[in-house]
């Protein structure tokens, strides 16, 4: 398994068929992406660069499942390009769209806090670029940079 697959797997996504590709960026390049989100309003430039040391950027192709309902993955995403559809399955297994998130929205953040299985499925509605923060990296960042 190559390193991209390992990185993607660590974030709960599959790199099958090249639908998900890690974008190797330096912390300052990630900070530039973060600066265009609401995080840029709340954090200083130095804080954005620090946050950039803990996140990974990924290109995600349209119709790729970012998070699956019931999945025990503990990762949050910041959508910096594109949009994603959020679906919920009913008791009779019918899939229903409940929301659409667009750049620069965040989703999946509850998994960092409660550790519960995903409550919904998130699928890329367009080609997307996402910044992902895993629970492990979140805890590391919290320990090293509690101000963030």
């Amino acid at each position: 398994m190559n390193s991209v697959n390992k990185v993607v797997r660590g974030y709960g996504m599959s790199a099958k068929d090249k639908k998900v590709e890690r974008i190797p960026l330096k912390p300052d390049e990630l900070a530039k992406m973060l600066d265009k989100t609401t995080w840029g309003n709340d954090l200083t430039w130095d804080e954005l660069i620090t946050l950039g040391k803990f996140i990974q950027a990924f290109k995600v192709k349209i119709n790729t499942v970012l998070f699956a309902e019931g999945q025990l993955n503990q990762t949050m995403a910041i959508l910096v390009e594109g949009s994603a559809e959020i679906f919920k399955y009913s008791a009779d297994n019918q899939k229903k769209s409940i929301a659409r998130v667009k750049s620069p929205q965040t989703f999946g953040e509850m998994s960092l806090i409660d550790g519960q299985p995903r409550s919904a499925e998130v699928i890329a509605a367009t080609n997307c670029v996402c910044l992902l923060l895993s629970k492990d990296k979140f805890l590391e960042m919290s320990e090293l940079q509690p101000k963030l």
Side-chain angles (χ1 to χ4, degrees):
M1 176 185 329
N2 68 36
S3 62
V4 172
N5 284 340
K6 285 181 188 174
V7 170
V8 172
R9 277 224 173 101
Y11 288 92
M13 295 188 299
S14 169
K16 288 189 234 170
D17 305 322
K18 305 241 185 230
K19 291 183 178 182
V20 179
E21 177 185 342
R22 182 175 173 269
I23 308 169
L25 297 173
K26 295 177 183 170
D28 63 318
E29 295 169 311
L30 291 162
K32 287 178 188 175
M33 295 173 101
L34 284 165
D35 197 35
K36 296 176 184 172
T37 71
T38 54
W39 294 63
N41 299 334
D42 299 328
L43 300 174
T44 67
W45 179 249
D46 288 340
E47 290 170 331
L48 291 173
I49 289 175
T50 299
L51 180 57
K53 295 175 183 176
F54 297 94
I55 60 175
Q56 294 285 325
F58 293 91
K59 288 181 187 176
V60 181
K61 291 192 178 182
I62 190 170
N63 295 324
T64 301
V65 175
L66 292 150
F67 300 140
E69 187 172 348
Q71 183 180 44
L72 285 172
N73 162 280
Q74 296 178 321
T75 304
M76 67 165 278
I78 304 166
L79 195 59
V80 293
E81 287 180 24
S83 64
E85 198 80 20
I86 300 176
F87 295 94
K88 189 86 177 132
Y89 285 90
S90 64
D92 61 350
N93 211 28
Q94 295 296 312
K95 186 173 170 178
K96 180 181 178 187
S97 174
I98 58 170
R100 182 175 271 225
V101 290
K102 297 179 183 175
S103 171
Q105 290 180 291
T106 301
F107 56 93
E109 59 274 14
M110 285 304 296
S111 71
L112 297 182
I113 298 163
D114 65 15
Q116 296 296 308
R118 297 282 180 195
S119 61
E121 181 175 76
V122 182
I123 298 176
T126 65
N127 289 330
C128 300
V129 174
C130 296
L131 303 178
L132 300 180
L133 176 63
S134 70
K135 179 141 190 181
D136 290 342
K137 290 294 184 181
F138 175 73
L139 292 174
E140 180 183 345
M141 179 180 68
S142 299
E143 195 173 298
L144 297 173
Q145 299 289 329
K147 185 179 173 188
L148 287 178

